[in-house]
């Protein structure tokens, strides 16, 4: 078994015992990226030099016996949405093509403090808006299990790089399913923490009340290890919750006794791929065989999740993305063209307003513009109550559904997606079809609860299927332990895509 | 709920976006479709429901009034599309 | 067209820069006048990914002000985004408060000492917190029509105080601004420097004109850029006349025209229409998802209430009722600020004569402060030293003109009043000696005696002059009194 096929936890043990250096490990991943990322397109930028320099510094530190961080020497891939000082951070957008933040996101600081090696920046849907990573302004990312298919999104690069052994650990973000859905479609583990568990400072905002940073890895253990580093209160984020971070990696292997899992019958039947249904039902049986009790529960408002989400997220986005106007940073259209255009069409618009409009229409892709338009409309005079306010109320109902469910069960078990990875281009012209991809994932974001996706099987065509567990706020520790129970009893997470 | 091309044009100005004729048609089509879909929320009676703007019920995140260093000006200005030694530059702000 | 009488209706929106060290949502400093763009960070630059954290001090300074304005403090308040594009607003929205402001429904009483208007209670709709914008400077020469943007001021905490349209004249508006500024100074919540923009005022003005067919209202105009009390007064006066003329010309009334914004041009002394926006404003307010609500307890509100000292209106009443000062004197002293009031109170207590202390503070002390352009804190004679001087006046040891000489000398020395009296060689003249002197003078000047006897009392002045030559320490008042008595008894 090559070193890159080992789990991060195994690699860490080797690093600590001196059998492996971080430089060797980092180089092995750089080689793998070199060999196969041409087919996958997971990385927007690979930071070869700085990664090797960091690895060497950590090896040095380890040799001197200095205290080491929790990820000392382990490579980590970062979604290109997390601000990193003086390093291009594009958010998958032309708008930020040349943008180099003057500061580090809190999670980047935490990774550096944990002595992680930053391998590079992963591809994503522009501003995290999408479910296929096809909305990246730079490149598409292919599903490592079938490169004609999408890897999911928006953290498509983050999931694909882990599943193709190009990084042992990867950091993504989840606003409506953007970690869990690509993790499911690429056959890896992805966790969306409780809202407020991980600092959003330096995460380029899409929808601030829904966005959350989370870990992706091949195993639940590795996911626990990375979450432990990412989580924690941050005074720079007012919505970050002041709660101690449990030692997830130390408890993850302790099975839960008397586990009660809730099954929502509406998740199955019409609309779901029978192979996915079968895989998820089989996973439920695994839990039963492990002693879990299964309860059937109702989530009466779950069907309204997508509608609620596609009002709230665009509303927040329309405001969050107003700052990209070509004035202080980011893309600005050619000023001479603005003047010429104004002269030509005889509009009474001032040069400043036209500069804004042209810069934004040229700098943003179609999906981003669509969501800005939707949000602007839904917040505008006369529509606020019918759309935005209404959605906030339904959001409360959805949260109440969850609260009621967690009175009866420890976790909710179900599918992550209704279908396996679809073909590139299949849904790009039908935004509504793309939006429905998030059916099973958006409600966790709306309610602010935690959710995890883990491999639970394959379709007959060899595409991975994901299993979703959802838990009440701040129950990540139990969520990881429950996921690990399943993973210890199955071997889907050990399979590898075949890439030459 | 109906949404016309003119409405979309107005929203585009509000959002500081600009579409050519084809893009405007397409945007109108898509927005109509999506708005029809999200309008399913009107089925629900939410009369007595408190709106939920935040995912979690937290409050009073207040910081002490203690200065921290600002960025060096060069750092603040370095991403500017147009600038001089001291300031960001934008096309003329008229009217004031 | 015939002339009709009208009433001016004025509501003011005042923006007060709160006296914090750091900005409302980041910890950059709020100093005025630093080189452009040296006081910014990712948060106030609106950088992608940056997040705001509310300044605790700003919230409590806001609450202190709101309480002093008799506002109610809701237990729950939240932050909203006001969305619009402008280059001095890097996030594309201003963080402000919309439907649940931090305070509501208060008032401020205004009075005129010159009887320009009847006392009035101006009601306050709300006072809420929001962030300031940066500055855009138009630089025709240097930049081919570019505007230059300085974001140092971006994010400075502002308290916006919105009044009801309760004022009925420019003088009232000016008085409201002056009284508000005084209150803010007493509260120590703002520098209140109108030139530096730490106190700014926009006025909503229209007219209620009594026509033959009843009362009509003209369209409301918002006047901006009034950067001094005088411009508030002049701007509103100008605008009232302008609206009347426009109404006579066009007949347009409220509701027939959209609300217009006009800027006050102080050099030309006119209001000018500011370029109409391309679109009617639609700010799409919604709750800021990056900031969490503030919830306060009764106890916290009480604590802030305790911090508030005696305010101008209460002090004026106390100086009149307890200290026997005239309305005018009380006003003059209170309007100078809390430090002068404290000086007065200390002086009155030590001197034991409230009115005499009032006259001296309002007269000599204020004159020196104005002449030397200094604050009472820098005034060289502390209240204790001045009280000694006042006591010498009360005992008759000094007449008022001598006292002024002593006062002048005390300004440049640290000696006590008694020592200065000695240094200047001022001695109290013995009563018997004074009477003897007067007797001699009367005998020496028969012509003057005749003049006085024939009814010209003023003639006695010449005797005072002669007395002073004989003995510079004589009290002119006393000389006059004694001489008149002697003459009348002849
Ligand atoms: Zn700042």
């Amino acid at each position: 078994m090559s070193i890159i096929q080992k789990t991060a936890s195994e690699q860490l043990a080797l690093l600590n015992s001196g059998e492996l250096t971080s430089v060797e490990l980092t180089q092995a991943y750089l080689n793998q990226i070199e060999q196969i990322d041409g087919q996958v397109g997971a990385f927007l930028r690979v930071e070869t030099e700085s990664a090797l320099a960091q690895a060497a510094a950590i090896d040095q530190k380890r040799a001197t016996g200095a205290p080491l961080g929790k990820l000392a020497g382990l490579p980590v891939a970062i979604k290109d949405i997390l601000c990193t000082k003086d390093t291009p951070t594009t958010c998958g957008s032309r708008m930020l093509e040349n943008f180099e933040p003057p500061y580090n996101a809190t999670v980047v600081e935490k990774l550096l403090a944990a002595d992680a090696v930053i391998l590079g920046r992963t591809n994503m849907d522009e501003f995290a808006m999408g479910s296929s990573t096809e909305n990246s302004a730079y490149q598409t990312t292919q599903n490592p299990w079938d490169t004609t298919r999408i890897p999911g999104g928006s953290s498509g690069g983050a999931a694909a790089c882990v599943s193709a052994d190009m990084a042992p650990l990867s950091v993504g973000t989840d606003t409506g399913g953007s970690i869990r859905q690509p993790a499911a479609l690429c056959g890896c583990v992805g966790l969306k923490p409780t809202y407020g568990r991980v600092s959003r400072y330096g995460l380029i905002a899409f929808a601030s009340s829904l966005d959350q940073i989370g870990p992706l890895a091949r195993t639940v253990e590795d996911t626990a290890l990375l979450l432990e580093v990412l989580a924690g209160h941050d005074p720079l984020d007012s919505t970050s919750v002041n709660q101690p971070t449990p030692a997830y990696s130390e408890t993850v292997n302790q099975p839960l006794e008397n586990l009660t899992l809730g099954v929502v019958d509406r998740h199955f039947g019409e609309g779901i791929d029978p192979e996915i249904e079968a895989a998820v039902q089989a996973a439920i049986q695994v839990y039963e065989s492990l002693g879990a009790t299964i309860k059937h529960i109702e989530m009466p408002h779950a069907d309204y999740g997508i509608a609620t989400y596609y009002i709230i997220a665009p509303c927040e986005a329309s405001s969050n993305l107003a700052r990209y106007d070509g004035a202080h940073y980011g893309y600005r259209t050619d000023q001479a063209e603005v003047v010429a255009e104004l002269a030509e069409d005889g509009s009474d618009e001032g040069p400043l307003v036209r500069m804004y409009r042209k810069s934004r229409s040229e700098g943003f892709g179609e999906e981003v513009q669509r969501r800005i338009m939707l949000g602007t409309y839904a917040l505008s005079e006369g529509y606020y109550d019918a759309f935005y306010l209404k959605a906030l109320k339904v959001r409360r109902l959805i949260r109440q559904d969850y609260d009621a469910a967690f009175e009866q069960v420890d976790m909710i078990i179900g599918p992550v997606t209704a279908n396996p990875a679809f073909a590139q281009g299949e849904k790009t012209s039908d935004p509504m079809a793309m939006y429905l991809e998030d059916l099973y994932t958006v409600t966790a974001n709306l309610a602010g609860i935690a959710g995890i996706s883990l491999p639970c099987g394959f379709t007959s065509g060899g595409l991975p299927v994901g299993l979703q567990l959802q838990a009440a706020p701040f129950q990540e520790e139990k969520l990881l332990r429950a996921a690990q129970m399943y993973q210890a009893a199955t071997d889907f997470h050990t399979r590898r895509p075949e890439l030459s | 709920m109906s949404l016309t091309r003119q409405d979309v044009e107005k929203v585009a100005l509000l959002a500081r976006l600009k579409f050519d004729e084809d893009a405007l048609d397409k945007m109108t089509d898509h927005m109509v479709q999506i708005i029809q879909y999200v309008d399913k929320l009107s089925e629900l009676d939410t009369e007595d429901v408190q709106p939920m703007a935040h995912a979690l019920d937290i409050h009073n995140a207040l910081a002490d009034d203690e200065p921290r260093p600002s960025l060096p000006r060069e750092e603040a200005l370095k991403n500017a599309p147009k600038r001089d030694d001291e300031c960001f530059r934008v096309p003329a702000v008229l009217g004031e | 067209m015939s002339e009709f009488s009208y009433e001016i209706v004025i509501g003011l929106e005042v923006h007060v820069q709160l006296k914090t060290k750091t900005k409302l949502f980041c910890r950059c400093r709020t100093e005025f006048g630093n080189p452009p763009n040296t006081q910014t960070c990712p948060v106030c630059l609106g950088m992608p990914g940056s997040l705001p954290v509310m300044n605790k001090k700003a919230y409590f300074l806001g609450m202190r002000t709101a309480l002093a304005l008799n506002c109610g403090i809701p237990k729950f308040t939240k932050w909203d985004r006001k969305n619009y594009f402008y280059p001095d607003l890097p996030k594309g929205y201003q963080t402000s408060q919309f439907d649940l402001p931090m305070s509501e429904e208060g008032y401020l009483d205004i009075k005129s000492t010159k009887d320009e208007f009847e006392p009035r209670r101006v009601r306050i709709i709300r006072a809420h917190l929001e962030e300031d914008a940066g500055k855009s400077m138009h630089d025709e020469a240097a930049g081919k029509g570019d505007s230059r943007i300085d974001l140092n001021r971006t994010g400075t905490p502002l308290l916006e105080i919105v009044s009801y349209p309760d004022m009925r004249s420019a003088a009232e508006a000016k008085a409201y601004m002056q009284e508000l500024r005084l209150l803010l100074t007493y509260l120590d919540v703002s520098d209140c420097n109108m030139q530096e923009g730490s106190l700014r005022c926009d006025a909503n003005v229209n007219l209620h004109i009594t026509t033959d067919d009843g009362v009509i209202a003209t369209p409301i105009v918002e006047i901006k850029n009034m950067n001094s009390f005088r411009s508030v007064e002049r701007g509103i006066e100008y605008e009232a006349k302008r609206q009347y003329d426009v109404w006579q010309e066009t007949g347009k009334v409220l509701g027939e025209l959209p609300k217009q914004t006009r800027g006050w041009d102080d050099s030309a002394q006119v209001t000018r229409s500011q370029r109409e926006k391309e679109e009617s404003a639609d700010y799409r307010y919604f709750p800021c998802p990056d900031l969490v609500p503030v919830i306060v307890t009764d106890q916290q509100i009480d604590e802030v209430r305790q911090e508030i000292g005696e305010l101008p209106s209460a002090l004026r009443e106390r100086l009149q009722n307890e200290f026997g000062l005239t309305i005018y004197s009380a006003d003059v002293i209170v309007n100078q600020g809390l430090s002068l009031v404290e000086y007065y109170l200390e002086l009155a207590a030590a001197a034991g004569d409230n009115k005499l202390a009032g006259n001296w503070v309002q007269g000599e002390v204020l004159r020196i402060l104005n002449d030397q352009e200094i604050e009472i804190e820098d005034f060289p004679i502390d209240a204790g030293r001045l009280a000694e001087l006042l006591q010498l006046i009360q005992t008759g040891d000094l007449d008022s003109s001598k006292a002024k000489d002593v006062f002048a000398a005390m300004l440049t020395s640290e000696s006590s009043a008694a020592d200065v009296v000695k240094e200047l060689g001022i001695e109290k003249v013995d009563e018997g000696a004074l009477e003897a002197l007067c007797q001699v003078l009367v005998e020496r000047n028969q012509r003057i005696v005749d003049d006085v006897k024939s009814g010209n009392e003023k003639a006695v002045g010449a005797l005072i002059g002669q007395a002073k030559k004989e003995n510079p320490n004589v009290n002119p008042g006393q000389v006059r009194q004694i001489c008149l008595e002697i003459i009348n008894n002849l």
Side-chain angles (χ1 to χ4, degrees):
Chain A
M1 193 197 250
S2 91
I3 187 67
I4 58 170
Q5 287 178 314
K6 293 188 185 300
T7 69
S9 313
E10 290 164 349
Q11 291 165 351
L12 193 57
L14 293 172
L15 288 165
N16 284 333
S17 69
E19 290 163 75
L20 177 69
T21 66
S22 178
V23 169
E24 288 165 0
L25 183 62
T26 303
Q27 190 59 60
Y29 279 109
L30 291 169
N31 292 345
Q32 172 79 349
I33 293 167
E34 175 82 33
Q35 272 175 34
I36 67 160
D37 201 37
Q39 299 166 65
V40 178
F43 283 90
L44 283 172
R45 287 175 305 287
V46 180
E47 286 155 5
T48 307
E49 270 176 46
S50 64
L52 287 170
Q54 248 185 306
I58 294 158
D59 284 337
Q60 179 89 43
K61 196 170 165 185
R62 188 173 256 124
T64 63
L68 294 167
K70 283 181 179 162
L71 302 178
L74 288 177
V76 178
I78 292 184
K79 186 176 180 179
D80 205 23
I81 196 170
L82 299 173
C83 286
T84 307
K85 190 169 164 34
D86 301 329
T87 301
T89 302
T90 70
C91 220
S93 181
R94 285 273 168 245
M95 188 56 93
L96 292 177
E97 191 161 9
N98 299 307
F99 177 66
E100 293 186 2
Y103 75 106
N104 276 331
T106 296
V107 293
V108 171
E109 291 283 346
K110 281 175 178 276
L111 288 171
L112 295 174
D115 291 321
V117 172
I118 313 273
L119 261 189
R121 324 277 301 179
T122 58
N123 196 22
M124 56 182 287
D125 285 301
E126 184 179 9
F127 284 100
M129 297 177 190
S131 307
S132 67
T133 314
E134 290 164 295
N135 294 334
S136 166
Y138 300 98
Q139 66 195 41
T140 56
T141 297
Q142 282 59 246
N143 192 312
W145 296 88
D146 177 349
T147 54
T148 67
R149 293 175 188 270
I150 56 98
S154 65
S155 311
C161 74
V162 166
S163 99
D165 288 333
M166 291 187 280
L169 300 169
S170 143
V171 182
T173 64
D174 191 316
T175 306
S178 280
I179 287 174
R180 289 160 292 157
Q181 183 252 20
L185 301 190
C186 290
C188 60
V189 181
L191 185 144
K192 181 205 98 72
T194 307
Y195 186 85
R197 178 59 100 182
V198 180
S199 167
R200 293 184 297 115
Y201 190 76
L203 154 63
I204 298 182
F206 157 19
S208 314
S209 81
L210 304 165
D211 294 342
Q212 195 61 198
I213 297 169
L216 294 98
R218 283 202 320 268
T219 68
V220 175
E221 276 182 314
D222 291 356
T223 306
L225 179 65
L226 184 51
L227 179 63
E228 199 171 309
V229 169
L230 300 178
H233 177 242
D234 180 7
L236 296 178
D237 175 0
S238 309
T239 64
S240 144
V241 175
N242 199 349
Q243 281 218 3
T245 305
Y248 303 116
S249 62
E250 286 169 28
T251 58
V252 64
N253 282 303
Q254 301 168 9
L256 293 165
E257 306 207 351
N258 306 319
L259 178 64
T260 309
L261 296 175
V263 173
V264 183
D265 293 334
R266 295 266 300 152
H267 285 169
F268 301 102
E270 201 191 334
I272 190 168
D273 182 295
E275 287 189 310
I276 294 204
E277 171 158 5
V280 173
Q281 294 289 8
I284 293 170
Q285 282 170 13
V286 170
Y287 273 106
E288 277 188 294
S289 74
L290 294 169
T293 311
I294 305 298
K295 262 193 184 168
H296 291 266
I297 55 164
E298 299 286 326
M299 295 286 287
H301 301 95
D303 284 353
Y304 297 94
I306 292 286
T308 305
Y309 178 83
Y310 278 94
I311 294 170
I312 293 173
C315 284
E316 291 184 17
S318 71
S319 173
N320 283 334
L321 273 64
R323 64 189 65 199
Y324 309 105
D325 58 8
H328 310 98
Y329 48 77
Y331 176 80
R332 183 189 293 187
T333 191
D334 187 85
Q335 221 159 313
E337 264 180 44
V338 168
V339 175
E341 204 181 89
L342 282 171
E344 196 188 8
D345 67 19
S347 156
D348 62 352
E349 228 168 76
L352 179 68
V353 172
R354 184 57 67 89
M355 183 281 274
Y356 283 155
R357 299 185 73 179
K358 257 176 94 65
S359 300
R360 287 165 63 78
S361 282
E362 292 164 6
F364 289 137
E366 194 183 316
E367 181 59 31
V368 172
Q369 295 193 45
R370 187 154 45 232
R371 297 203 194 181
I372 291 173
M373 288 291 289
L374 275 170
T376 305
Y377 173 73
L379 286 175
S380 66
E381 220 173 295
Y383 300 102
Y384 181 92
D385 286 3
F387 290 113
Y388 181 70
L389 190 64
K390 183 83 183 181
L392 290 189
K393 290 178 166 194
V394 180
R395 182 181 191 178
R396 171 83 58 195
L397 295 175
I398 291 169
R399 171 61 191 257
Q400 286 168 353
D401 285 356
Y402 273 113
D403 289 344
F406 292 129
E407 299 262 302
Q408 306 169 56
V409 299
D410 298 314
M411 276 160 232
I412 297 168
I413 188 166
V416 182
T417 63
N419 296 289
F422 51 89
Q424 300 273 354
E426 191 181 319
K427 295 184 179 177
T428 40
S429 58
D430 185 354
M432 209 48 244
M434 190 74 92
Y435 295 173
L436 289 168
E437 268 296 299
D438 302 329
L439 185 63
Y440 300 126
T441 48
V442 287
T443 47
N445 300 79
L446 289 167
I449 64 159
I452 192 170
S453 167
L454 58 157
C456 74
F458 290 85
T459 64
S460 50
L463 295 170
V465 178
L467 174 71
Q468 182 171 222
L469 294 174
Q470 297 178 327
F474 303 104
Q475 296 303 311
E476 287 87 356
E477 197 242 8
K478 279 190 177 163
L479 193 63
L480 286 160
R481 287 166 67 186
Q484 176 58 16
M485 285 166 70
Y486 176 82
Q487 204 155 72
T490 56
D491 68 353
F492 302 111
H493 63 288
T494 62
R495 300 199 199 163
R496 287 291 187 283
E498 281 170 33
L499 287 155
S500 46
Chain B
M1 207 152 300
S2 68
L3 181 75
T4 65
R5 211 167 173 276
Q6 283 70 36
D7 294 334
V8 175
E9 235 175 335
K10 256 178 64 184
V11 175
L13 175 60
L14 209 50
R16 295 292 185 265
L17 291 169
K18 194 158 179 61
F19 303 113
D20 62 24
E21 297 300 308
D22 289 349
L24 194 62
D25 286 335
K26 196 169 160 195
M27 182 61 73
T28 308
D29 276 358
H30 283 154
M31 283 178 73
V32 166
Q33 239 186 75
I34 297 161
I35 283 160
Q36 269 166 4
Y37 177 83
V38 301
D39 198 39
K40 75 187 272 179
L41 297 190
S42 60
E43 295 164 9
L44 291 170
D45 176 9
T46 53
E47 189 65 32
D48 300 320
V49 182
Q50 275 297 311
M52 176 175 163
H54 289 87
L56 293 173
D57 195 15
I58 38 181
H59 51 83
N60 293 19
L62 299 164
D64 289 334
D65 186 32
E66 289 303 327
R68 306 250 308 133
S70 290
L71 288 173
R73 177 158 65 198
E74 208 34 50
E75 280 286 293
L77 293 175
K78 77 168 182 181
N79 284 292
K82 193 175 182 190
R83 52 169 287 196
D84 52 37
D85 289 345
E86 296 183 320
C87 287
F88 300 92
R89 281 186 172 271
V90 296
V93 175
L94 300 175
E96 274 188 284
Chain C
M1 204 164 174
S2 48
E3 293 293 316
F4 299 99
S5 69
Y6 62 76
E7 189 173 48
I8 316 176
V9 178
I10 307 157
L12 295 182
E13 285 172 21
V14 179
H15 286 91
V16 182
Q17 249 178 37
L18 294 174
K19 218 177 191 172
T20 55
K21 286 200 213 92
T22 70
K23 295 185 178 183
L24 190 52
F25 298 120
C26 66
R27 303 289 79 82
C28 288
R29 290 181 184 274
T30 54
E31 283 163 20
F32 179 82
N34 281 333
N37 295 304
T38 55
Q39 218 161 252
T40 67
C41 72
V43 178
C44 56
L45 288 168
M47 284 279 169
S50 64
L51 293 172
V53 183
M54 176 71 197
N55 186 331
K56 189 176 186 174
K57 175 99 183 274
Y59 176 77
F60 284 102
L61 289 183
M63 192 198 287
R64 191 194 297 174
T65 311
L67 286 170
L69 287 167
N70 310 292
C71 288
I73 308 292
K75 300 272 169 55
F76 179 98
T77 188
K78 70 178 176 78
W79 317 102
D80 301 281
R81 292 183 182 178
K82 178 181 182 180
N83 295 284
Y84 66 96
F85 289 86
Y86 210 75
D88 63 12
L89 189 71
K91 299 192 301 294
Y93 55 82
Q94 180 193 31
T95 308
S96 180
Q97 299 198 280
F98 183 53
D99 55 339
L100 297 170
M102 64 166 300
S103 73
E104 293 171 303
E105 299 299 335
Y107 61 84
L108 181 66
D109 289 328
I110 51 170
K111 257 189 254 182
S112 171
T113 44
K114 295 181 227 149
D115 280 332
E116 289 172 302
F117 54 85
E118 289 294 302
R120 190 183 289 285
R121 171 158 293 184
V122 179
R123 294 167 304 149
I124 310 269
I125 299 175
R126 58 192 275 163
H128 70 253
L129 284 160
E130 62 184 33
E131 56 179 341
D132 207 345
K135 278 183 186 156
S136 43
M137 299 158 281
H138 196 61
D139 180 9
E140 196 76 52
K144 297 174 204 126
D146 275 357
S147 287
R148 306 174 72 222
I149 310 297
D150 171 13
L151 298 180
N152 278 353
R153 198 179 66 184
T154 309
T156 299
L158 297 178
L159 188 71
E160 180 174 336
I161 302 166
V162 186
S163 86
Y164 280 92
D166 282 354
M167 285 155 277
R168 292 293 175 271
S169 70
E172 286 181 30
K174 184 182 168 190
Y176 171 86
M177 282 302 290
Q178 285 173 327
E179 186 66 9
L180 182 59
R181 181 180 186 274
L182 187 68
L183 181 76
L184 296 167
T185 313
Y186 270 72
L187 294 169
D188 196 27
V189 294
S190 173
D191 291 334
C192 290
N193 187 326
M194 289 187 88
Q195 254 68 49
E196 290 180 4
S198 53
L199 182 66
R200 306 200 283 268
C201 167
D202 301 334
N204 285 299
V205 176
N206 77 339
L207 305 180
H208 288 178
I209 305 172
T210 307
T211 71
D212 299 339
D213 308 321
V215 178
I216 63 96
T218 58
I220 297 173
V221 169
E222 182 175 357
I223 318 173
K224 290 185 174 286
N225 301 343
M226 297 178 295
N227 299 326
S228 66
F229 296 127
R230 185 205 283 264
S231 56
V232 170
E233 193 173 28
R234 297 237 171 124
I236 291 170
E237 271 167 5
Y238 174 88
E239 183 56 26
K241 290 198 189 76
R242 193 196 65 81
Q243 285 187 22
Y244 185 77
D245 292 346
V246 170
W247 171 74
Q248 287 234 321
E249 210 174 290
T250 67
K252 292 273 194 231
V253 299
L254 185 66
E256 292 177 355
L257 287 174
K259 184 173 155 181
Q260 197 192 6
T261 302
R262 298 178 70 86
W264 172 246
D265 180 340
D266 205 44
S267 51
Q269 297 278 301
V270 296
T271 63
R272 292 184 201 282
S273 178
Q274 296 191 331
R275 190 164 167 268
E276 306 284 331
K277 299 213 174 104
E278 289 81 3
E279 65 211 280
S280 55
D282 183 348
Y283 293 121
R284 291 159 283 133
Y285 280 101
F286 78 106
C288 179
D290 290 329
L291 288 162
V292 297
V294 173
I295 297 175
V296 282
T297 60
D298 285 330
Q299 195 197 335
Q300 281 173 306
I301 298 173
D302 279 344
E303 277 167 20
V304 175
R305 212 187 290 276
Q306 300 305 318
E307 288 167 20
I308 301 174
E310 205 171 1
L311 296 175
S313 55
L315 269 172
R316 282 191 199 101
E317 267 180 37
R318 189 149 77 92
L319 293 193
Q320 285 173 57
N321 299 340
E322 285 179 32
F323 288 76
L325 300 190
T326 61
I327 297 178
Y328 180 77
S329 298
D331 215 47
V332 168
I333 293 171
V334 169
N335 290 4
Q336 290 298 316
L338 189 56
S339 310
L340 192 74
V341 173
E342 281 165 353
Y343 185 91
Y344 166 75
L345 293 176
E346 201 184 329
L347 179 66
D353 184 333
N354 297 336
K355 278 191 187 168
L356 184 64
N359 289 340
W360 272 77
V361 169
Q362 188 195 322
E364 293 309 295
V365 175
L366 262 184
R367 187 174 57 77
I368 299 296
L369 296 185
N370 290 335
D371 287 355
Q372 302 189 2
E373 294 181 356
I374 55 171
E375 301 295 324
I376 188 67
E377 285 83 353
D378 302 319
F379 185 65
I381 309 175
D382 64 32
R385 264 204 317 146
L386 188 57
E388 290 167 18
L389 177 64
L390 266 49
Q391 276 164 348
L392 293 179
I393 298 171
Q394 291 172 66
T395 55
D397 288 335
L398 283 176
D399 62 72
S400 64
S401 105
K402 283 271 154 9
K404 281 174 191 169
D405 294 343
V406 174
F407 176 79
M410 285 169 77
L411 287 171
T412 52
S413 95
E414 285 177 11
S415 313
S416 69
D419 288 345
V420 173
V421 167
K422 269 185 213 142
E423 283 161 26
L424 294 179
I426 300 171
E427 282 168 30
K428 192 176 177 190
V429 180
D430 175 77
E431 206 131 324
L434 185 61
E435 270 176 35
L437 173 64
C438 291
Q439 190 67 46
V440 172
L441 290 175
V442 168
E443 283 165 11
R444 237 194 250 159
N445 293 282
Q446 189 55 48
R447 235 185 59 211
I448 293 172
V449 172
D450 294 344
D451 269 10
V452 173
K453 285 226 161 216
S454 63
N456 181 12
E457 269 198 12
K458 275 186 191 163
V460 83
L463 295 182
I464 299 172
Q466 287 185 35
K468 279 182 116 175
K469 261 187 210 153
E470 300 281 333
N471 183 347
N473 286 322
V474 297
N475 180 331
Q478 268 182 307
V479 172
R480 180 188 158 87
Q481 202 190 338
I482 296 168
C483 288
L484 284 175
E485 261 173 43
I486 297 171
I487 294 170
N488 289 335
N489 289 334
L490 284 176

